[in-house]
Amino acid sequence: MSDAGWAALCDGPLRDAALGTIAEIADALREIRVADSTLTGHAGIALLYGYLRRTDGDDRWDAPLMFHLEQALDGAARDPLPPGLYGGFAGTAWVVAHEIDDDGSADIDLALGELVARPWHGPYDLIGGLVGLAVYALERLPRPAAVEQLSHIVDRLGELARPTATGLTWWSDPRFIGPARHDHADGYYNLGLAHGVPGVIAVLGHVCGLAATRDRARPLLDGAVRWLLAQRRGDGADSSFAHLAGEASDSRTAWCYGDPGVAIALLGAARRVGEPAWERAAIAIALRAAARPLDRTGVSDAGLCHGAAGVAHIFNRLYQATGRAELADAARRYVAYTLALRRPGIGIAGYLADEVGDDPDTCATSQADLLTGAAGIALALLAAATAVEPRWDRVLLTS
């Protein structure tokens, strides 16, 4: 999927409503202070102001951009952080690399290089594991340290891969399962982009383009895609994939879990290694998701992670990559739904985020962050309403 040729998805009243909502969110978040300094806090909020600056060239966005970057860097210096992309120091470093593009992250490159050079005993996923560390390294290319990190990560993913009758997959260790997954005491195979095998596929698609990793990454990618496509469900189901392999229930429609995340990961890999059959499968998955009735999607809030803005953004990306009118229509429909979920006078610029507790009851809270909160909503709307390509979504593995 090219970095060139991005076009505004929305026009007329829909575009005007999106731009008005973005302005209100930007005002609300300008100097907001949150407890989290990482990509799921100040660092992620900084991305919004970086892209507002790219959109209109106005230097009024420089002050909030630097405010949130400074809060992120101060927090990283003050509090010990895990290495992960979300909630860890790799995510803060990713934002610095994306917005400033200097060599100030050399110490982090060294630390992460040493970490992934050893046998890996943590999660493999995008949120807190090897896949997320690969996303950071991809942002640092073509620096030799980044190539070395990616080479080590391919080796670690190869060591963790599990051969099956239908291909290669990765096991989610029960030590890393949150409360919502305690019913799977022995672990599981995860089908979500945020925590599962589609994230591996997306990263392997990228590293197959590097001479240093291509020969080792391509067999892993081939095996992973075979396994993933073997998990597709029949035509009578609402979704092509469940949350977890072997489950009988439909997945929600979302970035974190569900068909949109699977489709964008598979399409990206297909384009990068030149596999037309994978591309056809990805588009079929996307079209099925686009046709799913909204009241059967499980989408109830507006955030990027599991809400309407995230689905709108993925359908927008898929449309920009394929030109399929059905995907453009779906993207606009979810933009409209994102705007309809806004309730002026509550939350942040009218938005509340759904959170699932241990009960597992759902509660609505005010969130400012990239994944579940107002900053991510504004970024997705900005991508839909303007012709500035949202390269920030590399951190979601959807670019």
Side-chain angles (χ1 to χ4, degrees):
M1 286 165 277
S2 173
D3 282 349
W6 189 264
L9 173 78
C10 301
D11 56 14
L14 188 61
R15 179 178 183 272
D16 292 342
L19 291 174
T21 299
I22 293 163
E24 290 199 31
I25 292 173
D27 285 343
L29 299 184
R30 186 179 293 268
E31 292 187 358
I32 195 169
R33 290 181 182 269
V34 296
D36 187 345
S37 65
T38 70
L39 190 57
T40 49
H42 281 290
I45 297 170
L47 286 173
L48 171 59
Y49 296 99
Y51 275 81
L52 288 168
R53 182 75 162 79
R54 289 171 176 82
T55 299
D56 62 17
D58 196 322
D59 60 10
R60 76 184 187 278
W61 305 119
D62 290 349
L65 169 62
M66 294 312 300
F67 170 80
H68 288 289
L69 278 179
E70 288 167 2
Q71 292 296 316
L73 293 171
D74 287 348
R78 181 180 64 248
D79 302 320
L81 292 172
L85 189 66
Y86 289 88
F89 63 78
T92 300
W94 187 95
V95 174
V96 171
H98 189 73
E99 290 297 333
I100 299 175
D101 191 28
D102 67 1
D103 284 323
S105 298
D107 289 344
I108 291 177
D109 292 347
L110 178 61
L112 290 179
E114 292 175 348
L115 185 66
V116 297
R118 304 189 295 267
W120 185 257
H121 302 291
Y124 73 84
D125 67 346
L126 170 62
I127 296 297
L130 286 169
V131 170
L133 300 185
V135 170
Y136 168 75
L138 288 167
E139 195 67 19
R140 297 285 286 165
L141 287 174
R143 294 171 177 84
V147 175
E148 184 178 9
Q149 288 170 39
L150 290 167
S151 182
H152 288 314
I153 289 170
V154 170
D155 288 340
R156 302 293 81 79
L157 288 172
E159 291 162 1
L160 295 174
R162 291 194 174 190
T164 74
T166 55
L168 292 175
T169 188
W170 284 260
W171 186 250
S172 292
D173 191 295
R175 290 176 297 165
F176 312 120
I177 298 173
R181 294 300 178 197
H182 279 165
D183 54 325
H184 295 270
D186 296 325
Y188 52 79
Y189 296 120
N190 192 301
L191 297 172
L193 177 57
H195 290 288
V197 175
V200 178
I201 287 171
V203 156
L204 290 174
H206 279 282
V207 298
C208 279
L210 299 175
T213 53
R214 183 181 302 119
D215 291 346
R216 288 169 291 140
R218 186 58 196 266
L220 296 176
L221 177 60
D222 291 345
V225 172
R226 285 198 308 274
W227 181 86
L228 178 69
L229 293 179
Q231 311 311 310
R232 282 182 294 185
R233 307 169 73 231
D235 291 339
D238 272 347
S239 64
S240 296
F241 293 89
H243 281 190
L244 310 178
E247 283 191 332
S249 57
D250 290 305
S251 175
R252 61 176 172 255
T253 298
W255 167 77
C256 53
Y257 287 92
D259 295 352
V262 174
I264 195 71
L266 183 59
L267 181 61
R271 290 279 178 90
R272 290 182 176 99
V273 300
E275 286 286 352
W278 297 359
E279 180 167 343
R280 290 192 295 271
I283 293 172
I285 293 163
L287 292 174
R288 181 174 176 177
R292 188 175 181 180
L294 185 59
D295 62 358
R296 299 214 299 266
T297 61
V299 178
S300 59
D301 76 347
L304 284 182
C305 180
H306 48 262
V311 180
H313 185 68
I314 293 178
F315 281 134
N316 191 6
R317 266 287 178 193
L318 290 164
Y319 161 65
Q320 304 274 351
T322 66
R324 297 293 297 251
E326 307 97 312
L327 299 175
D329 290 343
R332 294 188 190 99
R333 186 164 65 251
Y334 278 95
V335 168
Y337 186 38
T338 300
L339 295 170
L341 287 167
R342 185 168 172 257
R343 298 289 182 267
I346 65 171
I348 296 177
Y351 284 107
L352 294 173
D354 284 350
E355 291 189 338
V356 178
D358 294 352
D359 344 344
D361 292 331
T362 299
C363 60
T365 61
S366 294
Q367 299 290 337
D369 68 288
L370 175 71
L371 273 189
T372 63
I377 294 168
L379 280 165
L381 292 175
L382 194 66
T386 72
V388 175
E389 191 193 7
R391 298 182 187 182
W392 56 265
D393 70 352
R394 292 199 287 247
V395 81
L396 300 176
L397 283 176
T398 58
S399 65

